[in-house]
Amino acid sequence: MDTQTTSGFYAYQGELLFAPNYVLNKHFELWREHKDTYTYPVHGWTWFDSEEEASAALVPPQQEEEQE
């Protein structure tokens, strides 16, 4: 796997959170190899192919301006 990839699971909770391979929680598990089997969002987490796609979809516009 390319170590520079930004594909993975993302959630926004005041900041953009990134989990490249999995998200584990007592209520659910998300795994990269099963990414196409989930119905998103799962407790706020969604799969994106890049950080740019995740940011455009999840980060409120005022937060995007502050991050630049």
Side-chain angles (χ1 to χ4, degrees):
M1 183 172 62
D2 179 7
T3 58
Q4 297 300 315
T5 186
T6 60
S7 65
F9 299 101
Y10 286 85
Y12 184 80
Q13 297 173 2
E15 64 180 320
L16 194 60
L17 305 176
F18 173 57
N21 297 309
Y22 57 85
V23 178
L24 302 178
N25 180 298
K26 71 178 185 175
H27 302 289
F28 66 93
E29 294 182 1
L30 300 174
W31 295 91
R32 172 182 278 275
E33 52 269 9
H34 301 294
K35 67 180 175 56
D36 296 324
T37 67
Y38 305 121
T39 301
Y40 297 108
V42 177
H43 292 269
W45 291 92
T46 303
W47 176 270
F48 290 96
D49 290 327
S50 71
E51 181 179 4
E52 292 78 20
E53 289 178 10
S55 182
L58 300 175
V59 178
Q62 69 275 11
Q63 294 295 322
E64 285 180 348
E65 292 172 8
E66 292 174 9
Q67 290 181 355
E68 292 178 355

